[in-house]
Amino acid sequence: MLDPFDDADRLPPRRRRWVLVVAIGLVVAVAAAYGINSFLDVAPDVLRPAGDRSSFAFLSVDPSTGKPVRYDPCSPIHYVVDRRLAPPGMLSDLDAGIASISDATGIEFSFDGYTTEPAGRGRRAYQPHRYGKRWAPVLVSWVRPSDLLVPGDQAVGAAGSTPVSNDEGVPVYVTGEIT
């Protein structure tokens, strides 16, 4: 992969802004899903919450232990891209954002290709007809503003991860969606 920031100074201001928006969105999604403690241990001090670590909450915790639900730290996070509605230049911006997240956190990502799977609620974590006998990869997609996942919301995107219980009964994230 080419260094996405090699020519950063030559990008038009709007493109630089989109690269930053994609990177920040991925940071937030990964931090929330991967486990904020792991993220904060490698993040610069400027990203730490003010005060002590009790100034934040996890989106999902194991009800029996109170530990955060997260992806397997020993495995890459697989993802696919539905590029049908992607604005021009967004695929390279996505690559740059993922590279930034990986560099900052050490989390490994694996691009599994393009898909025509539509974004939306009710996405199944296991889709053997589409992705084979494994968990569905994280879906990255774009939608029309009129099709936002939360009608009437002014958000520019949404992200979340899907937990399942592993063999020991511990909830873990196995897939997710970034729209």
Side-chain angles (χ1 to χ4, degrees), residues 152-174:
D153 192 359
Q154 297 299 311
V156 295
S161 293
T162 304
V164 299
S165 292
N166 65 15
D167 293 339
E168 292 84 36
V170 176
V172 295
Y173 288 129
V174 294

Side-chain angles (χ1 to χ4, degrees), residues 29-41 58 68-71 173:
V30 169
Y34 194 79
I36 195 92
N37 278 339
S38 298
F39 177 75
L40 288 176
D41 289 340
F58 293 103
V69 177
R70 62 188 203 150
Y71 283 93
Y173 288 129

